[in-house]
């Protein structure tokens, strides 16, 4: 039984007390297990795609759908196939449309959601007074920390 298998179900506070070399070993084992699991999921997903994508496409056409979910049976198994819709809008063309709507005297917000973004790289290069005027509109959020462990030169 691996160290990782022995640790399943134990609280993180207990693992935090392990020596650094064991934490390194746990991290490596967990990463390896995750890589194997992802590869297995990808393999099964490819098999499902090969077996059912054409059938799902036929059902989608019959339902008059370009995307979305269709369901059908294969023996005793119910298959639901979701094809997500991903729409992308050309920002330059939208900007010109919004300008035409405004020029016609209408309110473009009745038709289009308008949002603003500021590049963090550009923000950081601005002079302090300019940044200060934008600061009230800026909120910094952080993600989940990621830790990488490795052996030191003398540690093997």
């Amino acid at each position: 039984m691996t160290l990782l298998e022995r640790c399943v179900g134990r609280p993180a506070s207990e693992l935090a007390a392990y020596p650094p070399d064991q934490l390194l070993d746990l991290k490596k084992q967990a990463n390896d297990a995750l890589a194997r699991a992802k590869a297995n999921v990808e393999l099964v997903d490819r098999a499902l795609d090969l077996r059912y994508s054409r059938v799902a496409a036929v059902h989608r056409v019959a339902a008059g759908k370009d995307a979305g979910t269709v369901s059908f049976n294969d023996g005793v198994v119910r298959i639901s196939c979701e094809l997500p819709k991903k729409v992308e809008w050309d920002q330059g063309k939208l900007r010109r449309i919004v300008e035409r709507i405004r020029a016609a005297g209408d309110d473009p917000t009745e038709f289009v959601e308008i949002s603003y973004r500021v590049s963090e790289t550009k923000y950081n290069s601005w002079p302090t007074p300019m940044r200060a005027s934008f600061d009230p509109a800026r909120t910094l959020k952080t993600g989940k920390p990621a830790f990488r462990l490795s052996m030191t030169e003398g540690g093997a």
Side-chain angles (χ1 to χ4, degrees):
M1 180 178 277
T2 67
L3 177 60
L4 181 62
E5 291 168 334
R6 291 193 307 269
C7 291
V8 170
R10 293 187 183 182
S13 58
E14 182 181 324
L15 301 183
Y18 281 22
D21 60 322
Q22 284 187 331
L23 289 172
L24 172 62
D25 191 35
L26 277 173
K27 184 66 173 170
K28 284 180 180 178
Q29 288 181 34
N31 283 338
D32 290 346
L34 179 60
R36 283 190 305 276
K38 284 182 177 182
N40 288 334
V41 166
E42 187 177 310
L43 176 66
V44 173
D45 284 345
R46 279 196 316 262
L48 293 172
D49 184 49
L50 286 170
R51 182 165 183 149
Y52 296 117
S53 63
R54 287 189 180 133
V55 177
V58 169
H59 283 271
R60 206 170 279 108
V61 168
K65 296 179 169 185
D66 293 326
T69 303
V70 292
S71 298
F72 50 91
N73 293 341
D74 184 4
V76 297
V77 177
R78 182 80 173 155
I79 310 298
S80 291
C81 177
E82 179 183 356
L83 183 63
K85 182 186 284 190
K86 183 179 179 189
V87 177
E88 293 182 1
W89 292 91
D90 183 305
Q91 297 301 297
K93 290 178 182 177
L94 281 177
R95 185 173 37 256
R96 289 189 289 280
I97 293 168
V98 165
E99 289 168 3
R100 284 197 304 268
I101 293 170
R102 261 200 199 104
D106 291 319
D107 179 8
T109 60
E110 291 181 27
F111 311 102
V112 180
E113 292 179 22
I114 300 173
S115 64
Y116 300 95
R117 291 180 340 156
V118 174
S119 157
E120 190 66 8
T121 303
K122 289 180 181 180
Y123 170 85
N124 287 324
S125 69
W126 293 344
T128 303
M130 186 170 177
R131 278 197 314 247
S133 66
F134 280 78
D135 283 345
R138 180 177 181 266
T139 301
L140 173 66
K141 295 181 180 179
T142 58
K144 182 179 172 187
F147 297 94
R148 289 174 191 79
L149 291 81
S150 61
M151 295 300 280
T152 60
E153 296 264 337

